[in-house]
Amino acid sequence: MRNRSSIRRGLCFAMLVCFALGMILAAGIVQADPSGAPRNCQSCHDYTLYKAGFQTSAHGNNTCASCHTNITDLRLHMTGESKPGQVNCGSCHRDITSRFRKDVHYIKQNFQCQDCHQNIHSIRKSGEGLRVAVVENCSQCHSREDYTLLGHSGALLKGNADAAACTDCHGLHNTPYYDPSLERDNTAARENYTRRCRSCHADAKMAKRNRFSTKTVASYDETYHGKVLNIGFPQRVAGCADCHLGHNILAKNDLRSAMHPVNMRAACKECHKGFHDRFVSFEAHPDPLDPKRSPVLYWTNVLMIALLGGTFAFFWLHTILWWRRTYCDKCCEGKAGFVEKTIIPECREEKQIQRFPVRDRIMHVLLIMSFFTLVMTGFPIKYYDSPWAKILINLWGGAYRAGIFHRIAALLLCGLFLYTLWLSLQFLFPKKQFRGSLQRLFGPDSLFPNFKDLRDIIGMFKWFFEKGDMPKFDRWTYWEKFDFLAVFWGMTAIGGSGFMLWFPEGFSYLFPGWMINVATVIHSEEAFLAAIFIFTVHFFNNHLVPNKFPLEPNIFTGRYRLDALMHERPLEYERLVAEDRLDAMKREGPGFWAQLFASVFGLASLMLGLLLTGLIFWAALFY
Amino acid sequence: MTRYKMRMIKLFIATILLVVFTAPAAGADQKPLPRIEPRAVVRMIDNRENVIFINISSPLECMDIRIPNSLCVACEETGEESSVLPQDRNARLVFYGGNTPVEADCGTIRQAQRQGFANLYILKGGLTAWKRAGYEVESVNRIPRVPGPALKPGSLKSWLNSEPRALIIDVRTPVAYQSNHIADAVNIPLVSLHRTYQDLPWDRPLLVIDADGSRSFLAASYLRRKGFENVRRLEGGMAAWQVWNKGGAP
């Protein structure tokens, strides 16, 4: 019995000892409190690294086992048989770990947390010093000369909190990886870095604090590069980092600077091939309002604004007065005017004359189609930041396809222009006869202005103010002649500048690079002039004037009513009668299909033009 | 004479036909392997097909990080490692590299072709694409990264002047090294660095150069971990060096 009880006591004692030992060991590794656990671990791991500042580090409230979770058998661990596995920082820093899986350091170099956070056992929250700490940390591996070249670094290291640290541009724990062989990656990189540059350089408050100009961004946005990038097609245009390569943002005359002409040429060559050296004088941040910086650009802008102002001032006044006069004739004074005579259904039964041959009608339809295509593909780029721009550009299938349509329409318009030029020469020199060309040029069948047009303008204004009768017109009125001749100026200006923008490298052999900036201003302003002139003045003069409203179809049907000829162009009528040519020109009224086409195509064009006018004014006034 | 001419013409036509019909046969051996997206490989695995990944990078890189359960058979080491290729000739072998593209003349692939493997693929985008797609990887013997300074190509000459005893180590393949290399550089391919690093001078500054700067970081970290204190790498590798030599940006 005694033996049995002593054995039992011995067993109990042994169990108690084992239990106590187990508790001590477990407490040391698994369940230790913050102050106890490090001491136990540090009885072996007594390196300075762990002692230095763990208690006061960012992780000081954790135990060793909080991170090194898989040490379950202390004996095996102490004998080296059980080694700790990899620390999973993501168990706490889940968000950072998730982002880091897309980081270039992980993707390309298999970095893990401790590779950058080498001082993980004494790491402290950086607080305000974070940005400097970031620079110090990154430049351990990345060549420091890169960053110190950059203007940002000097400011940051001097304590300017606004200056960009590495992570402001490249991201922290989510530095993106871009594969240079993939276009989508190049595009994403361009968008990303342009957005990041813009986030500071377009910030007015930051600009004021640091005495730099936000015009840098605003002026870039007004270039072809900026507009196309902003409309959502960064694939083929330069963003900030395409010219401001890497970190070498220095004075232009420094050979290390990306802006040095030698380096600029290299940067431009990434996209543009075969240009003359003077190509690099292109201003990527032009300011047409600064006469000192770009005098030619400034005066071009002034001239274009004067041209727009002068043209619209005259013709809008002309339009308003005309509308007032005819409206009063029609409504206030109860005069019949042309309306009842011209639009009445019976007119189909009346005799008509052939005013436009099939060739001219086809040319006008093609002109309308090319013009609308140019406006609808070009104006979304001009007003890239208006709400309708992206919608319209997406209707074409994106900016790239819109660009293709724009160029096709431009070529069609050029073809029409050259054909018109050929017809004009044939008119002036029929069968290569030079005799009498001057009479033909200033004659009644010519679209070239003469002194009678000047008298007609004066007469028309007198008529507007009821100081006289409406002038008697011949075959072409002065506003029709203006429409025709404006095309010659417009095609020279808008076509020439358009080709310069299309083939800037080739034109660099003729002009310096800054002429591309001039071409941009001319192309943009002239496009506005052409579109708004056609959609307001031309539409009113020919279709929306009360006695023709809603549509004058003769450019589509080719036929012109005899009574309209007598009233609107009495001199031509009298000439035709006197020359005995009238009977030969008489035709039946247009057929059903011609009328249907004229109504549908003509009215649709009118409505589309008016809609575009509204959109353009909306964008011009509010964006 | 006419008969002789006819005979010559027939001979000429026969030669042309021979060239035309034999050319594809000769080139059949060089037929490029199909490139397969990571997602498509995962689908194969989900369909329980026998897919075996083969990492053709150097052993250091492969053990540092690889697709789980990959075989490590570097292109240059097929003579020694060919026995590790699986027995099942119907297995789908997917070859991939880390930061190096799989070259058409990779010895591992040619070895597999000679051994009669029919289903060979190259992982499109390699390990980078696999990781970008968010799939898991494993590290068998990871080399802890050790921070160290890098040199820009524009600073190389001045650094060499200040460090006359420096040794330039070109870790590219012997073929790449022979085609062009920086003067006085020695060729120690990355594939054999783990065997040959002890031959390097411990007391001289080292500069590690690779093809494009993507592999030298690992090599430099490895050397630093092995005790070499003054190890630098050339940022951008030989590609950046050549651009700089042609007058490119620093």
Side-chain angles (χ1 to χ4, degrees):
Chain A
M1 280 298 284
R2 193 176 175 183
N3 281 343
R4 198 176 289 170
S5 65
S6 64
I7 288 167
R8 200 176 292 156
R9 274 202 300 274
L11 278 172
C12 286
F13 180 73
M15 282 170 70
L16 272 172
V17 169
C18 287
F19 178 73
L21 276 173
M23 287 297 286
I24 290 165
L25 288 174
I29 300 302
V30 182
Q31 295 170 345
D33 61 64
S35 58
R39 191 163 55 244
N40 286 332
C41 292
Q42 283 175 10
S43 62
C44 294
H45 299 281
D46 59 344
Y47 317 124
T48 314
L49 181 68
Y50 306 125
K51 282 183 175 175
F54 181 74
Q55 296 292 350
T56 53
S57 75
H59 296 114
N61 288 334
N62 298 289
T63 65
C64 300
S66 301
C67 298
H68 305 286
T69 52
N70 45 0
I71 304 171
T72 50
D73 189 320
L74 185 61
R75 190 183 59 80
L76 290 176
H77 177 62
M78 288 173 73
T79 56
E81 292 171 60
S82 162
K83 289 188 176 176
Q86 197 174 334
V87 171
N88 180 12
C89 301
S91 61
C92 295
H93 302 284
R94 201 167 298 165
D95 178 47
I96 293 174
T97 312
S98 165
R99 280 189 285 141
F100 188 66
R101 285 176 73 89
K102 300 285 178 191
D103 190 292
V104 65
H105 297 99
Y106 168 73
I107 298 281
K108 291 297 282 183
Q109 294 295 344
N110 191 27
F111 261 55
Q112 294 184 358
C113 307
Q114 66 272 21
D115 292 323
C116 288
H117 302 287
Q118 298 249 332
N119 57 342
I120 195 70
H121 292 98
S122 57
I123 196 167
R124 291 164 185 263
K125 286 181 181 174
S126 300
E128 290 181 0
L130 173 67
R131 297 151 72 77
V132 175
V134 160
V135 174
E136 297 293 345
N137 209 12
C138 294
S139 57
Q140 284 189 70
C141 298
H142 295 282
S143 128
R144 180 143 184 157
E145 62 189 302
D146 249 4
Y147 181 72
T148 48
L149 265 179
L150 182 66
H152 295 135
S153 69
L156 181 75
L157 297 174
K158 281 178 191 167
N160 185 340
D162 285 335
C166 310
T167 47
D168 289 311
C169 300
H170 300 289
L172 180 61
H173 299 127
N174 61 351
T175 307
Y177 166 63
Y178 299 117
D179 184 343
S181 66
L182 299 176
E183 185 172 304
R184 68 166 188 272
D185 277 19
N186 289 328
T187 303
R190 185 169 293 130
E191 283 185 306
N192 178 34
Y193 289 117
T194 304
R195 188 174 58 248
R196 285 178 186 270
C197 294
R198 192 187 289 271
S199 68
C200 292
H201 287 274
D203 184 333
K205 286 181 182 171
M206 191 183 281
K208 194 177 176 185
R209 279 200 301 273
N210 295 282
R211 285 174 290 173
F212 64 77
S213 171
T214 53
K215 276 186 181 175
T216 310
V217 175
S219 56
Y220 164 78
D221 285 341
E222 289 307 310
T223 63
Y224 181 79
H225 291 149
K227 285 172 185 284
V228 175
L229 187 135
N230 283 313
I231 199 71
F233 186 61
Q235 287 88 336
R236 300 280 178 91
V237 290
C240 304
D242 289 295
C243 300
H244 303 284
L245 293 164
H247 298 85
N248 46 353
I249 301 169
L250 296 163
K252 266 186 181 181
N253 54 1
D254 191 320
L255 189 60
R256 294 168 303 170
S257 167
M259 295 296 102
H260 190 281
V262 173
N263 297 329
M264 280 281 283
R265 276 196 285 277
C268 294
K269 272 181 188 168
E270 289 293 315
C271 301
H272 300 277
K273 308 291 176 201
F275 55 77
H276 190 275
D277 284 354
R278 62 168 76 97
F279 181 76
V280 297
S281 70
F282 166 74
E283 283 259 10
H285 302 272
D287 185 2
L289 303 178
D290 186 349
K292 286 180 186 168
R293 185 174 165 183
S294 325
V296 179
L297 193 61
Y298 173 80
W299 285 109
T300 305
N301 194 41
V302 168
L303 283 174
M304 289 307 296
I305 289 170
L307 180 69
L308 258 73
T311 308
F312 286 128
F314 178 80
F315 277 103
W316 281 349
L317 178 68
H318 185 273
T319 298
I320 291 165
L321 293 173
W322 190 355
W323 179 84
R324 189 200 69 86
R325 176 65 205 265
T326 49
Y327 184 77
C328 287
D329 278 358
K330 181 174 173 286
C331 302
C332 306
E333 299 174 11
K335 290 183 180 175
F338 290 125
V339 176
E340 287 76 8
K341 291 183 178 176
T342 54
I343 308 298
I344 50 176
E346 295 88 320
C347 68
R348 278 172 48 197
E349 305 301 324
E350 292 178 9
K351 282 289 177 191
Q352 303 198 15
I353 63 156
Q354 184 77 32
R355 180 161 170 79
F356 297 110
V358 174
R359 178 199 65 198
D360 291 1
R361 285 143 61 193
I362 291 173
M363 283 176 71
H364 197 72
V365 168
L366 290 176
L367 180 72
I368 290 171
M369 289 166 69
S370 69
F371 191 78
F372 274 119
T373 306
L374 287 165
V375 170
M376 291 170 69
T377 50
F379 275 80
I381 305 293
K382 180 173 168 64
Y383 297 115
Y384 63 88
D385 52 349
S386 62
W388 51 266
K390 282 192 179 172
I391 298 170
L392 198 52
I393 214 79
N394 287 337
L395 284 178
W396 292 99
Y400 178 71
R401 286 184 186 168
I404 291 173
F405 280 112
H406 194 82
R407 285 158 178 81
I408 291 170
L411 289 176
L412 175 60
L413 194 62
C414 287
L416 290 169
F417 172 69
L418 291 175
Y419 187 56
T420 306
L421 208 60
W422 170 247
L423 292 176
S424 302
L425 290 173
Q426 278 192 327
F427 169 80
L428 284 177
F429 313 110
K431 296 175 184 172
K432 296 182 183 175
Q433 287 180 7
F434 291 89
R435 184 175 290 177
S437 56
L438 209 59
Q439 286 86 342
R440 280 191 289 280
L441 181 65
F442 293 107
D445 286 323
S446 169
L447 275 158
F448 199 79
N450 52 34
F451 281 117
K452 183 186 176 308
D453 294 311
L454 191 61
R455 289 196 298 273
D456 287 348
I457 293 171
I458 296 165
M460 197 70 172
F461 272 85
K462 283 182 178 171
W463 176 70
F464 290 156
F465 294 105
E466 296 169 15
K467 302 286 184 192
D469 292 330
M470 182 184 263
K472 288 186 172 183
F473 294 108
D474 207 308
R475 185 171 179 187
W476 304 112
T477 61
Y478 62 84
W479 61 84
E480 287 164 344
K481 289 181 179 182
F482 185 88
D483 281 1
F484 179 77
L485 289 175
V487 173
F488 283 78
W489 153 252
M491 279 305 297
T492 309
I494 208 166
S497 58
F499 278 111
M500 197 181 280
L501 294 173
W502 190 353
F503 304 107
E505 301 90 351
F507 275 91
S508 68
Y509 287 88
L510 298 173
F511 305 110
W514 50 260
M515 276 297 286
I516 297 165
N517 300 110
V518 174
T520 307
V521 168
I522 293 175
H523 199 72
S524 177
E525 300 297 333
E526 183 63 29
F528 184 89
L529 176 63
I532 297 301
F533 185 87
I534 295 292
F535 297 154
T536 56
V537 179
H538 175 80
F539 275 16
F540 176 84
N541 290 352
N542 294 283
H543 305 289
L544 304 179
V545 66
N547 55 8
K548 292 180 181 176
F549 184 85
L551 179 74
E552 168 57 80
N554 64 25
I555 191 61
F556 303 114
T557 63
R559 306 295 163 81
Y560 195 39
R561 283 184 31 257
L562 203 53
D563 61 329
L565 178 71
M566 289 164 66
H567 283 88
E568 293 174 4
R569 302 168 206 276
L571 295 184
E572 185 186 9
Y573 175 78
E574 288 164 13
R575 245 180 350 104
L576 292 174
V577 171
E579 293 169 7
D580 201 18
R581 289 163 52 201
L582 191 64
D583 288 338
M585 293 173 70
K586 284 183 179 172
R587 299 282 189 281
E588 290 296 320
F592 170 77
W593 292 109
Q595 286 195 61
L596 183 69
F597 174 77
S599 304
V600 172
F601 186 80
L603 286 173
S605 301
L606 273 173
M607 287 163 67
L608 182 60
L610 294 175
L611 172 69
L612 289 170
T613 307
L615 294 178
I616 290 169
F617 275 118
W618 180 21
L621 294 173
F622 301 108
Y623 292 93
Chain B
M1 189 67 184
T2 314
R3 189 175 293 170
Y4 176 74
K5 271 188 181 174
M6 284 299 292
R7 204 173 285 169
M8 288 302 288
I9 290 168
K10 281 178 185 173
L11 191 67
F12 178 72
I13 292 170
T15 312
I16 294 290
L17 287 173
L18 189 71
V19 169
V20 167
F21 286 110
T22 54
D29 204 31
Q30 301 297 322
K31 192 180 170 188
L33 298 189
R35 291 181 181 269
I36 188 166
E37 296 276 355
R39 197 168 38 180
V41 184
V42 172
R43 259 203 306 271
M44 282 183 191
I45 296 168
D46 291 343
N47 292 336
R48 299 183 180 279
E49 293 182 48
N50 185 15
V51 176
I52 295 167
F53 289 102
I54 299 182
N55 188 318
I56 53 87
S57 308
S58 66
L60 282 179
E61 290 168 298
C62 184
M63 299 304 271
D64 184 73
I65 186 163
R66 66 185 188 187
I67 295 170
N69 304 316
S70 296
L71 301 176
C72 298
V73 191
C75 283
E76 298 92 334
E77 298 207 325
T78 45
E80 299 169 21
E81 307 286 342
S82 58
S83 57
V84 299
L85 290 178
Q87 296 298 315
D88 180 6
R89 294 295 184 265
N90 292 319
R92 295 180 185 276
L93 305 190
V94 179
F95 298 91
Y96 70 95
N99 285 331
T100 47
V102 180
E103 301 288 346
D105 61 347
C106 174
T108 315
I109 295 175
R110 283 198 288 189
Q111 186 82 10
Q113 284 172 327
R114 274 198 296 273
Q115 289 186 17
F117 286 94
N119 302 310
L120 306 179
Y121 305 90
I122 291 174
L123 186 66
K124 197 174 177 184
L127 187 61
T128 303
W130 180 266
K131 288 165 89 175
R132 284 186 96 181
Y135 298 122
E136 287 303 317
V137 287
E138 68 176 6
S139 292
V140 177
N141 190 10
R142 186 173 180 276
I143 300 166
R145 304 306 193 259
V146 184
L151 275 179
K152 300 282 282 185
S155 312
L156 180 57
K157 278 182 183 169
S158 59
W159 183 75
L160 287 173
N161 288 335
S162 65
E163 298 278 6
R165 296 186 67 247
L167 179 66
I168 302 174
I169 303 168
D170 192 327
V171 296
R172 296 176 300 156
T173 62
V175 176
Y177 173 80
Q178 279 159 17
S179 70
N180 62 346
H181 60 263
I182 293 174
D184 298 331
V186 295
N187 184 217
I188 301 180
L190 193 53
V191 75
S192 58
L193 186 64
H194 61 293
R195 290 194 299 266
T196 53
Y197 75 90
Q198 285 172 325
D199 300 335
L200 293 170
W202 296 88
D203 56 341
R204 289 172 66 182
L206 303 179
L207 176 71
V208 184
I209 296 177
D210 65 352
D212 60 1
S214 62
R215 304 173 82 190
S216 57
F217 193 88
L218 183 83
S221 287
Y222 181 74
L223 292 173
R224 286 185 199 115
R225 294 289 294 187
K226 290 296 177 189
F228 293 91
E229 289 178 353
N230 192 352
V231 185
R232 288 170 187 253
R233 61 192 184 86
L234 185 69
E235 234 179 56
M238 277 303 286
W241 168 251
Q242 283 167 331
V243 170
W244 164 250
N245 267 344
K246 286 177 188 168

